[in-house]
Amino acid sequence: TPEEAAGIFVKILKGDGSWAQNAVVLANAALGLYNTNAYPNYEAAFQEAVESLESGRAHHKFTQLISLQ
């Protein structure tokens, strides 16, 4: 359900996702970042996605976005 998917997404952002869940989120995030043309290659975008997830920055930005609604 959408509610279950949202719960899994938040779990991943909080650092509690499984390896497979994190891999999917990181691959998608890296592709999105790469498509901004702000990164020289996919690997650089992927490393940025990893750093954002592992540092908690992704979760922080997500909660900021939610608070705007």
Side-chain angles (χ1 to χ4, degrees):
T1 67
E3 292 80 17
E4 290 171 325
I8 292 169
F9 183 68
V10 170
K11 183 178 169 181
I12 293 165
L13 289 179
K14 287 182 175 180
D16 297 325
S18 70
W19 182 91
Q21 291 168 332
N22 289 344
V24 170
V25 168
L26 290 171
N28 283 316
L31 188 57
L33 290 171
Y34 179 66
N35 283 325
T36 67
N37 294 319
Y39 299 88
N41 52 50
Y42 178 83
E43 180 62 30
F46 185 84
Q47 290 305 316
E48 177 63 26
V50 169
E51 170 60 27
S52 182
L53 184 63
E54 290 181 351
S55 70
R57 196 170 68 238
H59 181 256
H60 178 71
K61 291 297 182 182
F62 180 71
T63 56
Q64 281 184 322
L65 179 64
I66 295 300
S67 72
L68 295 176
Q69 296 182 356

